Amino acid sequence: MEFRKRPGGRSARVRDAVRQATLAELVERGYTGLTVDNVAERSGVHKTTVYRRWGSVEGLISDALELARDEPWPIPDTGSVESDLRGIVQLVRTGFDDPELGPVSSAFVAAAMQDPAAARALHDFFAARHEQSAEVVRRAIERGELPDVVDPNEVIRVAVAPVYYRLFVAHEPVSEDDADRAADAALAAARAGVL
Amino acid sequence: MEFRKRPGGRSARVRDAVRQATLAELVERGYTGLTVDNVAERSGVHKTTVYRRWGSVEGLISDALELARDEPWPIPDTGSVESDLRGIVQLVRTGFDDPELGPVSSAFVAAAMQDPAAARALHDFFAARHEQSAEVVRRAIERGELPDVVDPNEVIRVAVAPVYYRLFVAHEPVSEDDADRAADAALAAARAGVL
DNA sequence: CTCCAAAAACTACTCCAGTTGCATTTGTGA
DNA sequence: TCACAAATGCAACTGGAGTAGTTTTTGGAG
């Protein structure tokens, strides 16, 4: 007895084809240009099947989001919190600049704003990201660089928030200096013991 | 000779009716439920007219956004930067909690993520907000509470960013304490001279 | 190898956002 | 007051997103 289908089965092939097509379409046309019909055609899967298993464009994105959540990302470990934090914020910034990652990541944020399921998926995604990133703060506390009263996750949030704010709320450009400044600000607040 | 139509003319009546209907629909159904047809029916204006003058749902929202930009909002003046900043951030937080303002404001953010014109309108909106809010920082500098090297607008951005980040990116709840902490963090960074 | 339940494909629809061409109304300037 | 240009109203249409019912394929269990 088994509780999971074979990885090479038809369903698995369909799932992979649709996921790959979704990402490719997102890169080419962005979130506003993403349609179930296009994904179906590109993947070679019939559109009724896509509707039955994913339900909607937001469902496709939620699915991609769950995949992205489990992928670990390269947390820096330079020896100092300052450069670690800067590294993380720059990673966020350059991620949205990237011609492949950018449209996909932006789509995640956009979709979550319109669909509760996508919002939950994005919430979990960021919870995982925060947990991973907070490691640089925990290390800093161990090294005595920061007081042990600080909340590591909160430091991460405050560090990356200005980048997201500029990109998705105020719609201002984000320079390398802007990102560094955001990281430095979070660090200064942490040192002052307010985070 | 005149370069503007009479305020009581038919066009002006249509414009006002559509604007009011847009806001009412946003409050009742939110951004995802906003359709040109519904706005047309509620306003008593034919849908063709709405399409011709506003073009799309995002056009309706951009229009509402331009109106909101010019409305000044109550910047606190308590005598200390700390409570002024906290007041501003709480104003943001409670604004999105408000059953009337919340859906409208959220719609602005959501629409700007999908339509370049709405994005530009929102950019201008926030530029105006920053400029107004920065007054509390400028006063603090004059009083000697903050070093005069700090960028007032940047302090505001860093102060409010975590609230927007939680609401629209990470999709986490935002408590009163969270808002205060964000304001305090920005202030600590400003005092340290990194903003 | 055979059979069967589940999943996918296919066909043919419905429904609604958005468009087009034309008729009608309106307010404004002469 | 009157005539005209601009704006609105109207009705009919187009196209694509999403659905329903049915048939076909597939992979695995016995």
mmCIF file of all heavy atoms in Angstrom, chain A residues 32 110 112-114 122-123 126 130 154 157 164-166 168-172 181 185 189 194, chain B residues 32 110 112-114 122-123 126 130 154 157 164-166 168-172 181 185 189 194:
data_model
loop_
_atom_site.group_PDB
_atom_site.id
_atom_site.type_symbol
_atom_site.label_atom_id
_atom_site.label_comp_id
_atom_site.label_asym_id
_atom_site.label_seq_id
_atom_site.Cartn_x
_atom_site.Cartn_y
_atom_site.Cartn_z
ATOM 1 N N THR A 32 -0.094 40.271 -15.133
ATOM 2 C CA THR A 32 -1.302 40.741 -15.836
ATOM 3 C C THR A 32 -1.530 39.976 -17.138
ATOM 4 O O THR A 32 -2.655 39.889 -17.601
ATOM 5 C CB THR A 32 -1.217 42.243 -16.144
ATOM 6 O OG1 THR A 32 0.000 42.493 -16.838
ATOM 7 C CG2 THR A 32 -1.236 43.068 -14.858
ATOM 8 N N ALA A 110 1.493 40.327 -6.161
ATOM 9 C CA ALA A 110 0.257 40.820 -6.769
ATOM 10 C C ALA A 110 -0.894 39.841 -6.567
ATOM 11 O O ALA A 110 -2.002 40.236 -6.199
ATOM 12 C CB ALA A 110 0.465 41.081 -8.257
ATOM 13 N N ALA A 112 -1.261 37.574 -4.282
ATOM 14 C CA ALA A 112 -1.649 37.473 -2.870
ATOM 15 C C ALA A 112 -2.576 38.608 -2.475
ATOM 16 O O ALA A 112 -3.318 38.509 -1.500
ATOM 17 C CB ALA A 112 -0.413 37.470 -1.985
ATOM 18 N N MET A 113 -2.529 39.683 -3.233
ATOM 19 C CA MET A 113 -3.359 40.816 -2.889
ATOM 20 C C MET A 113 -4.797 40.621 -3.363
ATOM 21 O O MET A 113 -5.689 41.354 -2.975
ATOM 22 C CB MET A 113 -2.761 42.068 -3.527
ATOM 23 C CG MET A 113 -2.969 43.304 -2.698
ATOM 24 S SD MET A 113 -1.900 44.614 -3.238
ATOM 25 C CE MET A 113 -0.472 44.291 -2.242
ATOM 26 N N GLN A 114 -5.031 39.633 -4.185
ATOM 27 C CA GLN A 114 -6.363 39.451 -4.736
ATOM 28 C C GLN A 114 -7.001 38.140 -4.338
ATOM 29 O O GLN A 114 -8.216 37.976 -4.500
ATOM 30 C CB GLN A 114 -6.279 39.475 -6.265
ATOM 31 C CG GLN A 114 -5.466 40.631 -6.755
ATOM 32 C CD GLN A 114 -5.960 41.138 -8.073
ATOM 33 O OE1 GLN A 114 -7.023 40.756 -8.541
ATOM 34 N NE2 GLN A 114 -5.200 42.004 -8.679
ATOM 35 N N LEU A 122 1.654 33.073 0.483
ATOM 36 C CA LEU A 122 2.734 34.053 0.570
ATOM 37 C C LEU A 122 3.127 34.295 2.031
ATOM 38 O O LEU A 122 4.308 34.469 2.346
ATOM 39 C CB LEU A 122 2.304 35.369 -0.085
ATOM 40 C CG LEU A 122 3.441 36.364 -0.345
ATOM 41 C CD1 LEU A 122 4.456 35.779 -1.311
ATOM 42 C CD2 LEU A 122 2.906 37.680 -0.890
ATOM 43 N N HIS A 123 2.139 34.278 2.897
ATOM 44 C CA HIS A 123 2.419 34.417 4.325
ATOM 45 C C HIS A 123 3.374 33.314 4.791
ATOM 46 O O HIS A 123 4.380 33.592 5.444
ATOM 47 C CB HIS A 123 1.115 34.349 5.115
ATOM 48 C CG HIS A 123 1.308 34.278 6.594
ATOM 49 N ND1 HIS A 123 1.443 35.389 7.382
ATOM 50 C CD2 HIS A 123 1.425 33.217 7.426
ATOM 51 C CE1 HIS A 123 1.630 35.024 8.634
ATOM 52 N NE2 HIS A 123 1.618 33.701 8.694
ATOM 53 N N PHE A 126 6.886 33.863 3.465
ATOM 54 C CA PHE A 126 7.692 34.859 4.165
ATOM 55 C C PHE A 126 8.025 34.410 5.578
ATOM 56 O O PHE A 126 9.095 34.745 6.098
ATOM 57 C CB PHE A 126 6.983 36.215 4.169
ATOM 58 C CG PHE A 126 7.257 36.995 2.932
ATOM 59 C CD1 PHE A 126 6.339 37.063 1.900
ATOM 60 C CD2 PHE A 126 8.478 37.658 2.780
ATOM 61 C CE1 PHE A 126 6.614 37.773 0.741
ATOM 62 C CE2 PHE A 126 8.749 38.365 1.636
ATOM 63 C CZ PHE A 126 7.817 38.419 0.607
ATOM 64 N N HIS A 130 11.762 34.577 6.756
ATOM 65 C CA HIS A 130 12.157 35.281 7.975
ATOM 66 C C HIS A 130 12.940 34.344 8.885
ATOM 67 O O HIS A 130 13.980 34.715 9.438
ATOM 68 C CB HIS A 130 10.919 35.789 8.722
ATOM 69 C CG HIS A 130 10.201 36.889 8.020
ATOM 70 N ND1 HIS A 130 8.888 37.209 8.278
ATOM 71 C CD2 HIS A 130 10.602 37.748 7.061
ATOM 72 C CE1 HIS A 130 8.524 38.224 7.506
ATOM 73 N NE2 HIS A 130 9.550 38.564 6.754
ATOM 74 N N GLU A 154 12.003 40.260 13.739
ATOM 75 C CA GLU A 154 11.584 41.641 13.594
ATOM 76 C C GLU A 154 12.683 42.479 12.953
ATOM 77 O O GLU A 154 12.407 43.389 12.164
ATOM 78 C CB GLU A 154 11.195 42.215 14.958
ATOM 79 C CG GLU A 154 10.594 43.601 14.926
ATOM 80 C CD GLU A 154 9.237 43.638 14.233
ATOM 81 O OE1 GLU A 154 8.673 42.581 13.915
ATOM 82 O OE2 GLU A 154 8.756 44.758 13.976
ATOM 83 N N ARG A 157 12.399 41.852 9.275
ATOM 84 C CA ARG A 157 11.257 42.569 8.708
ATOM 85 C C ARG A 157 11.563 44.044 8.489
ATOM 86 O O ARG A 157 11.327 44.589 7.415
ATOM 87 C CB ARG A 157 10.041 42.439 9.636
ATOM 88 C CG ARG A 157 9.160 41.252 9.344
ATOM 89 C CD ARG A 157 7.870 41.342 10.145
ATOM 90 N NE ARG A 157 8.084 40.941 11.515
ATOM 91 C CZ ARG A 157 7.718 39.775 12.022
ATOM 92 N NH1 ARG A 157 7.111 38.895 11.276
ATOM 93 N NH2 ARG A 157 7.960 39.489 13.286
ATOM 94 N N TYR A 164 10.553 46.620 -0.084
ATOM 95 C CA TYR A 164 9.230 46.251 -0.576
ATOM 96 C C TYR A 164 8.310 47.469 -0.652
ATOM 97 O O TYR A 164 7.526 47.619 -1.601
ATOM 98 C CB TYR A 164 8.606 45.189 0.327
ATOM 99 C CG TYR A 164 9.221 43.825 0.162
ATOM 100 C CD1 TYR A 164 10.193 43.360 1.031
ATOM 101 C CD2 TYR A 164 8.823 42.995 -0.883
ATOM 102 C CE1 TYR A 164 10.757 42.101 0.883
ATOM 103 C CE2 TYR A 164 9.381 41.741 -1.043
ATOM 104 C CZ TYR A 164 10.346 41.295 -0.155
ATOM 105 O OH TYR A 164 10.901 40.065 -0.324
ATOM 106 N N TYR A 165 8.416 48.320 0.348
ATOM 107 C CA TYR A 165 7.586 49.518 0.367
ATOM 108 C C TYR A 165 7.835 50.375 -0.864
ATOM 109 O O TYR A 165 6.897 50.823 -1.540
ATOM 110 C CB TYR A 165 7.878 50.314 1.644
ATOM 111 C CG TYR A 165 7.154 51.637 1.734
ATOM 112 C CD1 TYR A 165 5.795 51.696 1.952
ATOM 113 C CD2 TYR A 165 7.857 52.830 1.602
ATOM 114 C CE1 TYR A 165 5.136 52.899 2.032
ATOM 115 C CE2 TYR A 165 7.213 54.043 1.683
ATOM 116 C CZ TYR A 165 5.849 54.079 1.900
ATOM 117 O OH TYR A 165 5.206 55.281 1.970
ATOM 118 N N ARG A 166 9.110 50.587 -1.153
ATOM 119 C CA ARG A 166 9.435 51.385 -2.342
ATOM 120 C C ARG A 166 8.933 50.718 -3.615
ATOM 121 O O ARG A 166 8.364 51.376 -4.498
ATOM 122 C CB ARG A 166 10.937 51.590 -2.439
ATOM 123 C CG ARG A 166 11.511 52.599 -1.491
ATOM 124 C CD ARG A 166 13.009 52.731 -1.752
ATOM 125 N NE ARG A 166 13.418 54.102 -1.923
ATOM 126 C CZ ARG A 166 14.002 54.823 -0.968
ATOM 127 N NH1 ARG A 166 14.208 54.303 0.214
ATOM 128 N NH2 ARG A 166 14.371 56.072 -1.208
ATOM 129 N N PHE A 168 6.587 48.201 -4.157
ATOM 130 C CA PHE A 168 5.193 47.808 -4.374
ATOM 131 C C PHE A 168 4.167 48.777 -3.825
ATOM 132 O O PHE A 168 2.983 48.648 -4.120
ATOM 133 C CB PHE A 168 4.957 46.422 -3.776
ATOM 134 C CG PHE A 168 5.766 45.359 -4.426
ATOM 135 C CD1 PHE A 168 6.738 44.670 -3.716
ATOM 136 C CD2 PHE A 168 5.593 45.064 -5.774
ATOM 137 C CE1 PHE A 168 7.506 43.691 -4.324
ATOM 138 C CE2 PHE A 168 6.354 44.086 -6.393
ATOM 139 C CZ PHE A 168 7.316 43.400 -5.670
ATOM 140 N N VAL A 169 4.581 49.702 -3.021
ATOM 141 C CA VAL A 169 3.614 50.640 -2.454
ATOM 142 C C VAL A 169 3.844 52.049 -3.005
ATOM 143 O O VAL A 169 2.979 52.599 -3.678
ATOM 144 C CB VAL A 169 3.685 50.634 -0.916
ATOM 145 C CG1 VAL A 169 2.666 51.600 -0.336
ATOM 146 C CG2 VAL A 169 3.452 49.222 -0.378
ATOM 147 N N ALA A 170 5.024 52.602 -2.737
ATOM 148 C CA ALA A 170 5.284 53.962 -3.191
ATOM 149 C C ALA A 170 5.712 54.009 -4.660
ATOM 150 O O ALA A 170 5.706 55.056 -5.284
ATOM 151 C CB ALA A 170 6.355 54.603 -2.318
ATOM 152 N N HIS A 171 6.085 52.845 -5.210
ATOM 153 C CA HIS A 171 6.527 52.770 -6.604
ATOM 154 C C HIS A 171 7.654 53.748 -6.904
ATOM 155 O O HIS A 171 7.587 54.539 -7.859
ATOM 156 C CB HIS A 171 5.349 52.968 -7.542
ATOM 157 C CG HIS A 171 4.347 51.873 -7.455
ATOM 158 N ND1 HIS A 171 4.436 50.712 -8.184
ATOM 159 C CD2 HIS A 171 3.265 51.704 -6.665
ATOM 160 C CE1 HIS A 171 3.430 49.910 -7.867
ATOM 161 N NE2 HIS A 171 2.712 50.489 -6.936
ATOM 162 N N GLU A 172 8.666 53.703 -6.038
ATOM 163 C CA GLU A 172 9.887 54.461 -6.265
ATOM 164 C C GLU A 172 10.997 53.486 -6.621
ATOM 165 O O GLU A 172 10.955 52.321 -6.237
ATOM 166 C CB GLU A 172 10.288 55.200 -4.975
ATOM 167 C CG GLU A 172 9.203 56.057 -4.371
ATOM 168 C CD GLU A 172 9.646 56.650 -3.036
ATOM 169 O OE1 GLU A 172 10.834 56.940 -2.886
ATOM 170 O OE2 GLU A 172 8.790 56.805 -2.156
ATOM 171 N N ARG A 181 21.034 51.366 3.268
ATOM 172 C CA ARG A 181 20.540 52.251 4.312
ATOM 173 C C ARG A 181 19.438 51.578 5.129
ATOM 174 O O ARG A 181 19.391 51.709 6.358
ATOM 175 C CB ARG A 181 20.026 53.554 3.689
ATOM 176 C CG ARG A 181 19.982 54.706 4.676
ATOM 177 C CD ARG A 181 19.497 55.972 4.009
ATOM 178 N NE ARG A 181 20.229 56.274 2.785
ATOM 179 C CZ ARG A 181 19.669 56.399 1.589
ATOM 180 N NH1 ARG A 181 18.368 56.248 1.450
ATOM 181 N NH2 ARG A 181 20.410 56.671 0.538
ATOM 182 N N ALA A 185 19.650 50.897 9.048
ATOM 183 C CA ALA A 185 18.645 51.458 9.948
ATOM 184 C C ALA A 185 18.122 50.378 10.894
ATOM 185 O O ALA A 185 17.994 50.597 12.099
ATOM 186 C CB ALA A 185 17.501 52.069 9.139
ATOM 187 N N ALA A 189 18.529 50.351 15.002
ATOM 188 C CA ALA A 189 17.392 50.183 15.906
ATOM 189 C C ALA A 189 17.603 48.982 16.830
ATOM 190 O O ALA A 189 17.290 49.038 18.019
ATOM 191 C CB ALA A 189 16.111 50.021 15.108
ATOM 192 N N VAL A 194 15.376 48.685 20.434
ATOM 193 C CA VAL A 194 13.950 48.920 20.220
ATOM 194 C C VAL A 194 13.294 47.837 19.360
ATOM 195 O O VAL A 194 12.090 47.904 19.110
ATOM 196 C CB VAL A 194 13.684 50.309 19.577
ATOM 197 C CG1 VAL A 194 14.275 51.402 20.436
ATOM 198 C CG2 VAL A 194 14.226 50.341 18.173
ATOM 199 N N THR B 32 -11.427 43.441 -5.872
ATOM 200 C CA THR B 32 -11.704 42.293 -6.746
ATOM 201 C C THR B 32 -13.153 42.290 -7.217
ATOM 202 O O THR B 32 -13.452 41.706 -8.259
ATOM 203 C CB THR B 32 -11.409 40.964 -6.028
ATOM 204 O OG1 THR B 32 -12.127 40.942 -4.787
ATOM 205 C CG2 THR B 32 -9.922 40.812 -5.743
ATOM 206 N N ALA B 110 -3.474 47.728 -4.659
ATOM 207 C CA ALA B 110 -3.651 46.591 -5.560
ATOM 208 C C ALA B 110 -3.676 47.033 -7.015
ATOM 209 O O ALA B 110 -3.023 46.427 -7.877
ATOM 210 C CB ALA B 110 -4.939 45.842 -5.206
ATOM 211 N N ALA B 112 -2.425 49.707 -8.362
ATOM 212 C CA ALA B 112 -1.125 50.222 -8.802
ATOM 213 C C ALA B 112 -0.182 49.092 -9.174
ATOM 214 O O ALA B 112 0.782 49.293 -9.924
ATOM 215 C CB ALA B 112 -0.502 51.072 -7.701
ATOM 216 N N MET B 113 -0.464 47.908 -8.655
ATOM 217 C CA MET B 113 0.409 46.783 -8.949
ATOM 218 C C MET B 113 0.119 46.197 -10.326
ATOM 219 O O MET B 113 0.864 45.372 -10.836
ATOM 220 C CB MET B 113 0.221 45.726 -7.874
ATOM 221 C CG MET B 113 1.483 44.966 -7.570
ATOM 222 S SD MET B 113 1.330 44.084 -6.033
ATOM 223 C CE MET B 113 1.900 45.346 -4.917
ATOM 224 N N GLN B 114 -0.976 46.591 -10.942
ATOM 225 C CA GLN B 114 -1.370 45.987 -12.204
ATOM 226 C C GLN B 114 -1.402 46.977 -13.345
ATOM 227 O O GLN B 114 -1.468 46.581 -14.503
ATOM 228 C CB GLN B 114 -2.748 45.355 -12.074
ATOM 229 C CG GLN B 114 -2.850 44.495 -10.838
ATOM 230 C CD GLN B 114 -3.820 43.367 -11.025
ATOM 231 O OE1 GLN B 114 -4.287 43.098 -12.117
ATOM 232 N NE2 GLN B 114 -4.119 42.687 -9.947
ATOM 233 N N LEU B 122 -0.283 56.521 -7.716
ATOM 234 C CA LEU B 122 0.018 56.168 -6.326
ATOM 235 C C LEU B 122 1.379 56.723 -5.913
ATOM 236 O O LEU B 122 1.554 57.158 -4.767
ATOM 237 C CB LEU B 122 -0.011 54.650 -6.145
ATOM 238 C CG LEU B 122 -0.023 54.161 -4.697
ATOM 239 C CD1 LEU B 122 -1.272 54.650 -3.974
ATOM 240 C CD2 LEU B 122 0.056 52.639 -4.621
ATOM 241 N N HIS B 123 2.299 56.716 -6.856
ATOM 242 C CA HIS B 123 3.611 57.305 -6.575
ATOM 243 C C HIS B 123 3.462 58.768 -6.175
ATOM 244 O O HIS B 123 4.030 59.209 -5.165
ATOM 245 C CB HIS B 123 4.505 57.177 -7.809
ATOM 246 C CG HIS B 123 5.784 57.930 -7.708
ATOM 247 N ND1 HIS B 123 6.916 57.384 -7.150
ATOM 248 C CD2 HIS B 123 6.117 59.177 -8.069
ATOM 249 C CE1 HIS B 123 7.886 58.274 -7.166
ATOM 250 N NE2 HIS B 123 7.425 59.377 -7.738
ATOM 251 N N PHE B 126 1.949 59.153 -2.717
ATOM 252 C CA PHE B 126 2.861 58.939 -1.604
ATOM 253 C C PHE B 126 3.930 60.023 -1.519
ATOM 254 O O PHE B 126 4.377 60.382 -0.430
ATOM 255 C CB PHE B 126 3.502 57.553 -1.682
ATOM 256 C CG PHE B 126 2.643 56.497 -1.059
ATOM 257 C CD1 PHE B 126 1.873 55.652 -1.842
ATOM 258 C CD2 PHE B 126 2.580 56.365 0.317
ATOM 259 C CE1 PHE B 126 1.058 54.703 -1.265
ATOM 260 C CE2 PHE B 126 1.768 55.415 0.902
ATOM 261 C CZ PHE B 126 1.004 54.568 0.107
ATOM 262 N N HIS B 130 4.523 61.832 1.903
ATOM 263 C CA HIS B 130 5.844 61.917 2.519
ATOM 264 C C HIS B 130 6.189 63.366 2.823
ATOM 265 O O HIS B 130 6.690 63.694 3.903
ATOM 266 C CB HIS B 130 6.910 61.326 1.585
ATOM 267 C CG HIS B 130 6.797 59.844 1.412
ATOM 268 N ND1 HIS B 130 7.355 59.178 0.338
ATOM 269 C CD2 HIS B 130 6.203 58.887 2.167
ATOM 270 C CE1 HIS B 130 7.092 57.882 0.453
ATOM 271 N NE2 HIS B 130 6.394 57.677 1.543
ATOM 272 N N GLU B 154 13.048 60.163 4.287
ATOM 273 C CA GLU B 154 13.511 58.793 4.480
ATOM 274 C C GLU B 154 13.086 58.259 5.851
ATOM 275 O O GLU B 154 12.755 57.078 5.987
ATOM 276 C CB GLU B 154 15.038 58.731 4.324
ATOM 277 C CG GLU B 154 15.628 57.340 4.360
ATOM 278 C CD GLU B 154 15.226 56.492 3.155
ATOM 279 O OE1 GLU B 154 14.615 57.039 2.208
ATOM 280 O OE2 GLU B 154 15.519 55.286 3.180
ATOM 281 N N ARG B 157 9.540 57.154 5.432
ATOM 282 C CA ARG B 157 9.472 55.890 4.701
ATOM 283 C C ARG B 157 9.796 54.705 5.597
ATOM 284 O O ARG B 157 9.069 53.704 5.635
ATOM 285 C CB ARG B 157 10.454 55.917 3.522
ATOM 286 C CG ARG B 157 9.843 56.413 2.230
ATOM 287 C CD ARG B 157 10.796 56.181 1.072
ATOM 288 N NE ARG B 157 11.865 57.163 1.072
ATOM 289 C CZ ARG B 157 11.939 58.188 0.241
ATOM 290 N NH1 ARG B 157 11.019 58.349 -0.681
ATOM 291 N NH2 ARG B 157 12.936 59.037 0.312
ATOM 292 N N TYR B 164 3.142 48.610 5.992
ATOM 293 C CA TYR B 164 2.755 48.196 4.650
ATOM 294 C C TYR B 164 3.300 46.810 4.323
ATOM 295 O O TYR B 164 2.625 45.988 3.689
ATOM 296 C CB TYR B 164 3.249 49.211 3.618
ATOM 297 C CG TYR B 164 2.475 50.497 3.624
ATOM 298 C CD1 TYR B 164 2.943 51.618 4.285
ATOM 299 C CD2 TYR B 164 1.259 50.587 2.955
ATOM 300 C CE1 TYR B 164 2.225 52.804 4.289
ATOM 301 C CE2 TYR B 164 0.539 51.770 2.946
ATOM 302 C CZ TYR B 164 1.030 52.873 3.617
ATOM 303 O OH TYR B 164 0.313 54.032 3.620
ATOM 304 N N TYR B 165 4.522 46.567 4.753
ATOM 305 C CA TYR B 165 5.133 45.263 4.492
ATOM 306 C C TYR B 165 4.300 44.151 5.106
ATOM 307 O O TYR B 165 4.001 43.150 4.459
ATOM 308 C CB TYR B 165 6.553 45.247 5.047
ATOM 309 C CG TYR B 165 7.246 43.914 4.940
ATOM 310 C CD1 TYR B 165 7.668 43.434 3.705
ATOM 311 C CD2 TYR B 165 7.486 43.138 6.071
ATOM 312 C CE1 TYR B 165 8.314 42.212 3.606
ATOM 313 C CE2 TYR B 165 8.130 41.917 5.987
ATOM 314 C CZ TYR B 165 8.550 41.454 4.746
ATOM 315 O OH TYR B 165 9.178 40.247 4.666
ATOM 316 N N ARG B 166 3.924 44.332 6.362
ATOM 317 C CA ARG B 166 3.116 43.312 7.027
ATOM 318 C C ARG B 166 1.771 43.139 6.335
ATOM 319 O O ARG B 166 1.317 42.023 6.106
ATOM 320 C CB ARG B 166 2.874 43.702 8.477
ATOM 321 C CG ARG B 166 4.040 43.463 9.394
ATOM 322 C CD ARG B 166 3.652 43.846 10.826
ATOM 323 N NE ARG B 166 3.954 42.796 11.778
ATOM 324 C CZ ARG B 166 5.020 42.810 12.571
ATOM 325 N NH1 ARG B 166 5.879 43.798 12.496
ATOM 326 N NH2 ARG B 166 5.225 41.823 13.420
ATOM 327 N N PHE B 168 0.637 44.085 3.156
ATOM 328 C CA PHE B 168 0.488 43.768 1.740
ATOM 329 C C PHE B 168 1.519 42.802 1.186
ATOM 330 O O PHE B 168 1.380 42.326 0.062
ATOM 331 C CB PHE B 168 0.522 45.059 0.926
ATOM 332 C CG PHE B 168 -0.603 45.979 1.243
ATOM 333 C CD1 PHE B 168 -0.369 47.217 1.811
ATOM 334 C CD2 PHE B 168 -1.911 45.594 0.994
ATOM 335 C CE1 PHE B 168 -1.412 48.061 2.118
ATOM 336 C CE2 PHE B 168 -2.960 46.429 1.292
ATOM 337 C CZ PHE B 168 -2.712 47.667 1.866
ATOM 338 N N VAL B 169 2.564 42.535 1.935
ATOM 339 C CA VAL B 169 3.585 41.614 1.429
ATOM 340 C C VAL B 169 3.589 40.324 2.233
ATOM 341 O O VAL B 169 3.313 39.251 1.699
ATOM 342 C CB VAL B 169 4.973 42.273 1.435
ATOM 343 C CG1 VAL B 169 6.025 41.319 0.894
ATOM 344 C CG2 VAL B 169 4.940 43.555 0.615
ATOM 345 N N ALA B 170 3.887 40.428 3.520
ATOM 346 C CA ALA B 170 3.956 39.223 4.341
ATOM 347 C C ALA B 170 2.579 38.753 4.799
ATOM 348 O O ALA B 170 2.417 37.627 5.243
ATOM 349 C CB ALA B 170 4.842 39.474 5.546
ATOM 350 N N HIS B 171 1.565 39.630 4.661
ATOM 351 C CA HIS B 171 0.205 39.292 5.076
ATOM 352 C C HIS B 171 0.151 38.799 6.512
ATOM 353 O O HIS B 171 -0.399 37.738 6.800
ATOM 354 C CB HIS B 171 -0.397 38.273 4.104
ATOM 355 C CG HIS B 171 -0.603 38.827 2.734
ATOM 356 N ND1 HIS B 171 -1.741 39.512 2.354
ATOM 357 C CD2 HIS B 171 0.212 38.841 1.653
ATOM 358 C CE1 HIS B 171 -1.614 39.897 1.109
ATOM 359 N NE2 HIS B 171 -0.447 39.505 0.653
ATOM 360 N N GLU B 172 0.749 39.588 7.377
ATOM 361 C CA GLU B 172 0.664 39.342 8.805
ATOM 362 C C GLU B 172 -0.207 40.429 9.424
ATOM 363 O O GLU B 172 -0.304 41.530 8.892
ATOM 364 C CB GLU B 172 2.057 39.431 9.449
ATOM 365 C CG GLU B 172 3.107 38.527 8.813
ATOM 366 C CD GLU B 172 4.480 38.756 9.420
ATOM 367 O OE1 GLU B 172 4.560 39.025 10.616
ATOM 368 O OE2 GLU B 172 5.479 38.674 8.682
ATOM 369 N N ARG B 181 6.475 50.163 17.404
ATOM 370 C CA ARG B 181 7.845 49.675 17.293
ATOM 371 C C ARG B 181 8.493 50.146 15.988
ATOM 372 O O ARG B 181 9.658 50.523 15.963
ATOM 373 C CB ARG B 181 7.858 48.153 17.366
ATOM 374 C CG ARG B 181 9.211 47.597 17.773
ATOM 375 C CD ARG B 181 9.171 46.081 17.884
ATOM 376 N NE ARG B 181 8.057 45.631 18.690
ATOM 377 C CZ ARG B 181 7.094 44.811 18.256
ATOM 378 N NH1 ARG B 181 7.130 44.352 17.016
ATOM 379 N NH2 ARG B 181 6.113 44.450 19.064
ATOM 380 N N ALA B 185 11.761 52.419 15.789
ATOM 381 C CA ALA B 185 12.949 51.941 15.079
ATOM 382 C C ALA B 185 13.470 53.008 14.129
ATOM 383 O O ALA B 185 14.675 53.277 14.077
ATOM 384 C CB ALA B 185 12.621 50.653 14.316
ATOM 385 N N ALA B 189 17.128 54.902 14.374
ATOM 386 C CA ALA B 189 18.055 54.969 13.246
ATOM 387 C C ALA B 189 18.394 56.417 12.918
ATOM 388 O O ALA B 189 19.551 56.749 12.620
ATOM 389 C CB ALA B 189 17.448 54.274 12.037
ATOM 390 N N VAL B 194 21.897 57.306 10.656
ATOM 391 C CA VAL B 194 22.008 56.473 9.447
ATOM 392 C C VAL B 194 20.913 56.765 8.432
ATOM 393 O O VAL B 194 20.890 56.158 7.368
ATOM 394 C CB VAL B 194 22.001 54.970 9.785
ATOM 395 C CG1 VAL B 194 23.117 54.650 10.756
ATOM 396 C CG2 VAL B 194 20.668 54.548 10.321
#
